[in-house]
Amino acid sequence: MACEVAVRTGLTTPLRLTAWLQTMDEPWQIDLLGGLRACSADRTITRFRTQKTGVLLAYLALHLNRAHSREVLAAMLWPESDSLAGRLNLRVELASL
């Protein structure tokens, strides 16, 4: 997966933090400022299964070029849950993405 993060500015374009994600089929643009949006050539997604699904996508888009431990992600998103429940929740959220 080829990834890059760019901040775009311009007179007609508001400040945006954008992550470009190249998947096997098509590139995705993830806009983080001004509301979370995932855009491909033929669709735009602005609503996610849960708020934590959106948080997970935003976090992963913001931290593209590093490995992410499932345990760390689960503890970050579900600090009140035990390790097993947190990893199960993470698996469900990842599957929905």
Side-chain angles (χ1 to χ4, degrees), residues 26-65:
E26 59 193 43
W28 281 85
Q29 175 180 328
I30 311 297
D31 292 330
L32 302 175
L33 299 177
L36 180 62
R37 287 187 324 172
C39 305
S40 71
D42 61 343
R43 64 184 164 182
T44 298
I45 300 170
T46 58
R47 296 182 59 109
F48 299 90
R49 193 181 83 74
T50 67
Q51 184 177 5
K52 288 194 180 182
T53 304
V55 168
L56 178 60
L57 176 61
Y59 181 83
L60 293 174
L62 197 58
H63 302 281
L64 292 172
N65 297 320

Side-chain angles (χ1 to χ4, degrees), residues 62-95:
L62 197 58
H63 302 281
L64 292 172
N65 297 320
R66 67 174 243 216
H68 300 282
S69 158
R70 288 179 178 260
E71 289 77 17
V72 171
L73 291 172
M76 178 182 69
L77 292 169
W78 295 278
E80 70 285 350
S81 298
D82 64 58
S83 176
L84 185 61
R87 288 185 21 228
L88 176 62
N89 290 336
L90 180 62
R91 185 176 340 150
V92 170
E93 299 302 334
L94 286 169

